[in-house]
Amino acid sequence: MSKLLPFGLLLTLCLTPAATGAQQRGFDLSQLDLSQLDLSQLDPAAIVASANDTLMRAPDGAIDDLFQALHQASRTPRDASTLCGLFDPQADRSGPALMAAAQSLAPESRQRFSGALINIATTGLQNPRQAYDAAAARQTLKSAGTKAMLLHDGFAAGLNADGGDEAGRQARCRSFGWLLDALADSPLQQRAAATRLMLNEGMARLASN
């Protein structure tokens, strides 16, 4: 399910020290203008080290809050369009573009992400590293894809659509929504593991850019 990587990248950029540090100082993250963050001044290696440690220490419930924020955003037409735009073959997935996408989400979605990120930042400082099995997390994503395929005709075709036209883009967006719906029905521990996987892959991509 590597095609979920843009979600991981988007969420990872919301976990940068600049954002979480602002929140810990009492700043309302929902009011943060993400498009104004100067990514050229951020050290990807430092981001990965800091965010990965926080991510792996936060309990499953906190991680799941972040997944729920993503799931709710994907079910809102305006936000779904923003998120699905990241999957277009020619989409700009640079740091600034991903920041702009996060900033363009509806206020309700930004607030959900804000609350989830605050919780991760707080609990990630207070807990030991959590148990995590990357292979099991990947299997959870694959199982969610299988379930979505069984429940929805056209899932596989939509997931593999090239997005060259509006019909293809809509089909692919529906399939991603169905995939997240299927993942939402998984047990909390599995959802959290799959979310950690997406975030870990997003951080690895960020560090390599």
Side-chain angles (χ1 to χ4, degrees):
M1 289 301 166
S2 61
K3 290 185 178 181
L4 284 172
L5 179 60
F7 282 155
L9 283 167
L10 182 61
L11 298 181
T12 297
L13 286 171
C14 292
L15 280 168
T16 61
T20 56
Q23 184 60 57
Q24 290 169 347
R25 292 191 298 272
F27 187 85
D28 184 358
L29 188 59
S30 66
Q31 300 301 315
L32 181 64
D33 185 359
L34 296 174
S35 66
Q36 297 303 310
L37 289 179
D38 185 0
L39 296 180
S40 67
Q41 300 301 311
L42 299 179
D43 179 356
I47 292 173
V48 170
S50 176
N52 182 265
D53 185 62
T54 299
L55 170 68
M56 297 310 295
R57 290 175 182 275
D60 287 348
I63 298 297
D64 190 53
D65 285 345
L66 187 57
F67 170 79
Q68 297 299 336
L70 174 62
H71 186 218
Q72 287 298 315
S74 75
R75 295 170 67 89
T76 303
R78 166 183 165 178
D79 291 343
S81 178
T82 297
L83 295 171
C84 290
L86 299 174
F87 295 92
D88 285 345
Q90 304 304 317
D92 180 1
R93 299 188 185 95
S94 64
L98 290 168
M99 283 292 190
Q103 186 68 20
S104 69
L105 295 173
E108 295 83 359
S109 291
R110 293 202 302 274
Q111 187 61 44
R112 290 189 193 99
F113 280 117
S114 172
L117 292 168
I118 294 167
N119 197 19
I120 289 175
T122 301
T123 59
L125 296 173
Q126 300 172 346
N127 287 281
R129 289 179 70 86
Q130 305 294 302
Y132 171 66
D133 185 334
R138 199 171 300 279
Q139 184 58 47
T140 293
L141 285 176
K142 290 181 179 178
S143 297
T146 299
K147 179 178 180 179
M149 182 172 60
L150 293 174
L151 290 176
H152 303 285
D153 291 337
F155 168 77
L159 196 66
N160 294 307
D162 61 16
D165 55 31
E166 183 60 26
R169 287 191 291 272
Q170 290 183 3
R172 189 169 53 194
C173 196
R174 282 195 301 271
S175 290
F176 281 122
W178 288 334
L179 181 61
L180 292 177
D181 287 345
L183 185 57
D185 289 335
S186 301
L188 184 151
Q189 185 177 17
Q190 294 179 16
R191 288 196 308 269
T195 304
R196 289 185 207 272
L197 176 66
M198 289 189 287
L199 285 163
N200 281 333
E201 291 190 350
M203 285 187 282
R205 178 64 63 88
L206 182 63
S208 67
N209 288 340

